[in-house]
Amino acid sequence: MPKPANAVHNRIALFRTERGLTRKVLAELVDVNPQTIGFLERGDYGPSVELALKLARVFGVPVDALFSLEPFPALANQLSAPPSSESP
Amino acid sequence: MPKPANAVHNRIALFRTERGLTRKVLAELVDVNPQTIGFLERGDYGPSVELALKLARVFGVPVDALFSLEPFPALANQLSAPPSSESP
DNA sequence: ATGAATCATTGTGTAAACACAATATTCGCA
DNA sequence: TGCGAATATTGTGTTTACACAATGATTCAT
């Protein structure tokens, strides 16, 4: 069960929890076993493109938003500055 | 060697020949065997996301431009009207 | 037409992506 | 506090994505 050094990074857990989905229902949506989702989320192995495409379709995002060869930046780094009450 | 009914469609051959790459050199660029490229191009099997990401990176396109659950439209259908010498 | 490069085909082997089952463990929430 | 849902962990089995080798067919330039 060791995770391979050359693992592909993903944001499945991020998108899944954001949508309030459980692993079980996500698994049903893409037609795999629930524990397969677990394996993917913790990077124990990377999926096939087919599964990647299905997951991306469920979340309505491109595959590249879900999977990457490079680690994803913390989401704080990607958020644009929220409207502030302070004047610039 | 039969190709599965639920195969994922790809445009590897299209992009490869467009760039004038041989299977051998493409294989080297993504670090797989040359015949693996052949298997992929003729849809004998679909790749891992990792390989899909590498291929997309080589071509400089998003994964979704290379792989799809739905068959790709003929490329003629996707081209915008070329500049014509005829007046409209 | 001949030869070289590219591609196709077949076969054998291995590692990893899955399925499925069973048992922890953690985590709300009443 | 404890009960149930969600997740984690472990184990076994099958399928398939790969590697590698060898041979045949195409294509293409000379």
Side-chain angles (χ1 to χ4, degrees):
Chain A
M1 321 95 184
K3 85 181 52 175
N6 22 331
V8 31
H9 306 85
N10 75 79
R11 296 201 277 200
I12 300 175
L14 182 73
F15 281 103
R16 180 179 60 82
T17 58
E18 189 185 32
R19 310 288 159 105
L21 299 177
T22 179
R23 286 185 181 172
K24 184 169 181 295
V25 319
L26 177 56
E28 285 161 0
L29 287 173
V30 297
D31 200 41
V32 294
N33 268 322
Q35 22 220 23
T36 293
I37 303 294
F39 279 114
L40 295 178
E41 287 188 352
R42 66 186 94 103
D44 281 344
Y45 52 66
S48 60
V49 245
E50 184 179 359
L51 183 47
L53 286 165
K54 286 181 181 176
L55 287 165
R57 185 174 55 182
V58 163
F59 294 133
V61 299
V63 170
D64 304 82
L66 249 190
F67 299 93
S68 171
L69 295 171
E70 307 295 329
F72 283 101
L75 64 167
N77 301 342
Q78 302 206 112
L79 299 176
S80 49
S84 165
S85 54
E86 305 299 312
S87 329
Chain B
M1 321 96 190
K3 84 182 50 177
N6 23 331
V8 31
H9 306 84
N10 73 79
R11 296 200 279 200
I12 299 175
L14 182 72
F15 281 102
R16 180 179 59 82
T17 58
E18 188 185 33
R19 311 287 159 105
L21 299 177
T22 179
R23 287 184 181 174
K24 185 169 181 293
V25 320
L26 176 56
E28 286 162 359
L29 287 173
V30 297
D31 200 41
V32 294
N33 267 325
Q35 21 220 21
T36 293
I37 303 294
F39 280 115
L40 295 178
E41 286 187 353
R42 67 186 92 103
D44 281 343
Y45 52 65
S48 60
V49 245
E50 185 179 359
L51 183 47
L53 286 165
K54 286 180 180 177
L55 287 166
R57 185 174 53 182
V58 164
F59 294 133
V61 299
V63 170
D64 305 81
L66 250 189
F67 299 93
S68 171
L69 296 170
E70 308 295 328
F72 284 101
L75 65 167
N77 302 342
Q78 303 206 111
L79 298 176
S80 47
S84 164
S85 55
E86 305 299 314
S87 327

